[in-house]
């Protein structure tokens, strides 16, 4: 199993910044993908950013240029630096981990508990 522990959420004013951290522990296989998804009340869950262990990153159009995802593979940790935050960024942010299991013979998908990000004046 994989456990994901998120931290770094909170309340910030528009234009402010936050840095989210997600640390994975347990049985980790490579390659894998870690990323961030968010869900606001009344809205669908959406991908924010993902990063593979090989260094490939993807971003939602709504956060390009403002958010940066990064990884520390030695610590099995992924970060999301969020700058120029807007009220519409308010959501619960969930860390996600995906790998193909041992020898690539299985698919595993894990989620963190989520951390609240609120952008408000």
């Amino acid at each position: 199993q994989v456990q994901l522990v998120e931290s770094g959420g909170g309340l910030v004013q528009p234009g402010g910044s936050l840095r989210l951290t997600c640390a994975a522990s347990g049985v980790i296989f490579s390659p894998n993908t870690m990323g961030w998804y968010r869900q606001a009340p009344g809205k669908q869950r959406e991908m924010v950013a993902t990063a593979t262990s090989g260094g490939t990153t993807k971003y939602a159009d709504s956060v390009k240029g403002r958010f940066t995802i990064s990884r520390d593979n030695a610590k099995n940790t992924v970060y999301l630096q969020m700058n120029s935050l807007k009220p519409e960024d308010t959501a619960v942010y969930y860390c996600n981990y995906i790998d193909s299991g041992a020898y690539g013979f299985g698919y595993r998908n894990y989620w963190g508990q989520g951390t609240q990000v609120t952008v408000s004046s």
Side-chain angles (χ1 to χ4, degrees):
Q1 304 296 323
V2 175
Q3 296 79 46
L4 303 173
V5 179
E6 301 141 322
S7 62
L11 173 65
V12 297
Q13 296 184 356
S17 298
L18 283 174
R19 190 191 193 207
L20 305 183
T21 299
C22 175
S25 62
V27 182
I28 304 296
F29 295 104
S30 294
N32 62 66
T33 300
M34 297 183 69
W36 294 93
Y37 295 71
R38 67 187 182 187
Q39 187 167 24
K43 300 181 67 176
Q44 294 89 354
R45 183 179 62 186
E46 64 176 346
M47 186 273 289
V48 178
T50 62
T52 71
S53 51
T56 300
T57 59
K58 296 181 180 179
Y59 296 91
D61 288 341
S62 59
V63 307
K64 287 180 179 177
R66 300 188 298 121
F67 292 8
T68 302
I69 190 169
S70 60
R71 293 182 54 137
D72 185 338
N73 289 338
K75 296 192 292 186
N76 295 316
T77 299
V78 64
Y79 308 91
L80 185 68
Q81 179 66 47
M82 304 185 294
N83 298 326
S84 302
L85 283 162
K86 305 174 181 179
E88 49 263 45
D89 295 318
T90 297
V92 177
Y93 284 69
Y94 296 93
C95 182
N96 176 252
Y97 171 97
I98 298 172
D99 70 23
S100 297
Y103 309 106
F105 290 160
Y107 172 82
R108 306 193 303 163
N109 187 5
Y110 296 91
W111 293 92
Q113 294 296 312
T115 184
Q116 177 71 47
V117 172
T118 302
V119 185
S120 176
S121 60

